[in-house]
Amino acid sequence: MSMFALCRRWMRSEAAKASRPFLRSSSPASPRLFSSHSGSFNSPPFATVSVEHISGSQPAEVLNLVQGEWKTSSWWNWIVDPLNGEHFIKVADVQETEIKPFVESLSKCPKYGLHNPLRAPERYIIFGDISAKAAHMLARPEVSDFFSRLIQRVSPKSYNQAQAEVYVSQKFLENFSGDQVRFLARSFSVPGNHLGQQSNGFRWPYGPVAIITPFNFPLEIPLLQVMGALYMGNKPILKVDSKVSIVMEQMIRLLHNCGLPKEDVDFINTDGITMNKLLMEASPSMTLFTGSSRVAEKLAADLKGRIKLEDAGFDWKILGPDVQAVDYVAWVCDQDAYACSGQKCSAQSILFIHENWSSSALLSKMKFLAERRKLEDLTIGPVLTVTTDSLLAHVEKLLQVPGSKLLFGGRPLENHSIPSIYGALKPTALFVPLVELVKESNFELATKEIFGPFQIVTEYRHDQLPLVLDACQRMHAHLTAAVVSNDLLFLQEVLGKSVNGTTYAGMRARTTGAPQNHWFGPAGDPRGAGIGTPEAIKLVWSCHREIIHDVGPLPANWVLPPSS
């Protein structure tokens, strides 16, 4: 059966499902995104783009926001369509000579913020209202669909994965509606030593702050961090990876529509060098960076430690001795490793399998699930930061390790028009023997994070668990992890000797997933940032301030004491 016929068959089956997306193609090499809503809804009133019409012949434009005004720049940066290579979005790219308005805008914000518990407290209420309105708007089917498809256009992933990002964002806004914003600034008091003395602890904003976020979650990560910064009284400047910044540009317009003052957030599109220069000149009190460890370390040095990091992670999963629910565990492993083409900082990077699983059908089921992924529905798609050649070169290097073997994948995607600047690899798993993996000569290669559909698999005997835990300890980033077991003693051993900030434990454990109801962030690093919860917002976007009131009265018959 031809590729075109397969596409048509898949479209018919998907169209029969309620509220499910499909990806239609006029030719196998040139897919085009739609959902079941397409054609029935116009663009929302805040939108300045039409998702269906963004193309090389009708390119979209992305502007910058500074001091309350949307502005262009002297240079347009063209974004390449990751599915066919067309120049389909042009971004107003701020040059080094144009950063002055952004520096001035941040400098206008005092260190005590736009609001705090003792100044303009009514803004806590205002932001509760803004969140409520934005949550209501984002819950509307046509708005949710608009953002889901826009995410697909710039960071190709399945519709369900894109829609999940919108859902988490919408629930986050619901969580911080009404009075919940002011509850973030809840203070405490401690009785003093004498009458008239009382100590008060406050959550205090940093004032001018910066936010830098990556491409892989173009709505969820920047939105949650921007809103957290605003809730606590800061003024943020936001830079999103230009490849996907159109999503957040449209979201900011939605927030303006819901009452966000236009001067409260600046939005900039620029390259890394210019952004670094802006940060050095503006000297924000705090910068939140989500992205690669290499850039994170440079920024930490440049900004003299005034930074919070949610950087990369080589994330592990350990399957314990109790073998059960093989079909379910295989499915979760497939989702963790290959959903969004593995382009999640929480993606399953390495799978440690207890020897008891060796007689199960786990690996064959994982292979089956990986091979059913296809470009037509974007359950596998372009890799935006690693080329195909680089991915294949990494596979070849690992195959030189004694005892290593390819379990599945390891070949380029076929019959596509993904441009060569991006990667196109079939979901891949490679087995490396544990005793070889932990050797000094192999460990760095085997634990190199590959931001794509790739994972390492290894097996351990029960008496080798200390080797596994030592390997987890040696990894440099500790973002997410999973311990798949209902054996309480095993869980106790592994959880007590590991550090990852977001760790799932139990037979349903996974590495990916940052729902709105739990902390998501690394551990083991004082610079570690979180996202999503009240604890994360308070940790990242406020500091502790203590005010001790000591008003008297003076003790009766007080006299000047001797020097001490």
Side-chain angles (χ1 to χ4, degrees), residues 34-85:
F34 288 85
S35 83
S36 58
H37 297 309
S38 296
S40 60
F41 294 133
N42 296 318
S43 293
F46 61 84
T48 59
V49 299
S50 170
V51 178
E52 292 84 358
H53 298 129
I54 301 175
S55 64
S57 60
Q58 298 185 63
E61 292 184 359
V62 179
L63 304 183
N64 301 287
L65 177 66
V66 61
Q67 299 183 33
E69 294 184 17
W70 289 104
K71 294 187 176 182
T72 61
S73 64
S74 62
W75 181 261
W76 292 99
N77 174 30
W78 282 97
I79 306 301
V80 174
D81 189 325
L83 292 174
N84 61 27

Side-chain angles (χ1 to χ4, degrees), residues 331-542:
W331 174 74
V332 175
C333 285
D334 176 75
Q335 286 292 107
D336 280 348
Y338 306 123
C340 299
S341 301
Q343 296 173 103
K344 294 185 178 184
C345 53
S346 57
Q348 178 177 303
S349 304
I350 187 166
L351 178 65
F352 295 96
I353 301 175
H354 189 280
E355 59 185 336
N356 291 356
W357 289 82
S358 59
S359 58
S360 75
L362 177 73
L363 291 179
S364 62
K365 290 179 182 293
M366 286 171 56
K367 181 175 186 290
F368 167 77
L369 293 170
E371 290 177 347
R372 72 176 184 169
R373 293 181 173 273
K374 52 195 175 184
L375 183 60
E376 293 76 50
D377 59 4
L378 290 179
T379 50
I380 192 69
V383 178
L384 301 190
T385 58
V386 190
T387 65
T388 305
D389 288 345
S390 296
L391 291 166
L392 294 175
H394 185 67
V395 171
E396 288 303 315
K397 287 179 183 177
L398 284 165
L399 288 173
Q400 303 307 309
V401 175
S404 296
K405 60 182 178 181
L406 187 68
L407 296 176
F408 51 82
R411 301 191 308 277
L413 292 176
E414 300 164 348
N415 194 28
H416 65 80
S417 56
I418 296 170
S420 60
I421 59 171
Y422 300 136
L425 186 74
K426 293 185 176 182
T428 298
L430 197 143
F431 180 86
V432 179
L434 180 62
V435 292
E436 293 293 335
L437 185 147
V438 298
K439 288 181 179 178
E440 196 68 38
S441 56
N442 298 326
F443 190 76
E444 184 176 350
L445 174 66
T447 58
K448 178 181 179 181
E449 184 182 17
I450 300 297
F451 217 55
F454 177 85
Q455 67 173 318
I456 297 289
V457 178
T458 191
E459 185 178 309
Y460 68 99
R461 301 189 308 271
H462 200 76
D463 62 354
Q464 291 179 311
L465 182 60
L467 271 182
V468 173
L469 295 177
D470 179 64
C472 296
Q473 184 81 7
R474 290 163 62 189
M475 296 171 194
H476 79 278
H478 303 285
L479 183 55
T480 69
V483 190
V484 183
S485 175
N486 282 347
D487 182 327
L488 293 179
L489 295 180
F490 183 82
L491 289 174
Q492 186 172 278
E493 178 74 5
V494 176
L495 295 174
K497 293 182 177 179
S498 55
V499 69
N500 295 53
T502 304
T503 307
Y504 283 86
M507 287 310 299
R508 296 188 65 173
R510 51 183 173 150
T511 64
T512 60
Q516 67 288 345
N517 62 311
H518 76 227
W519 159 281
F520 186 86
D525 187 332
R527 303 167 301 179
I531 191 171
T533 61
E535 293 77 17
I537 293 170
K538 286 183 277 190
L539 172 82
V540 176
W541 295 115
S542 68

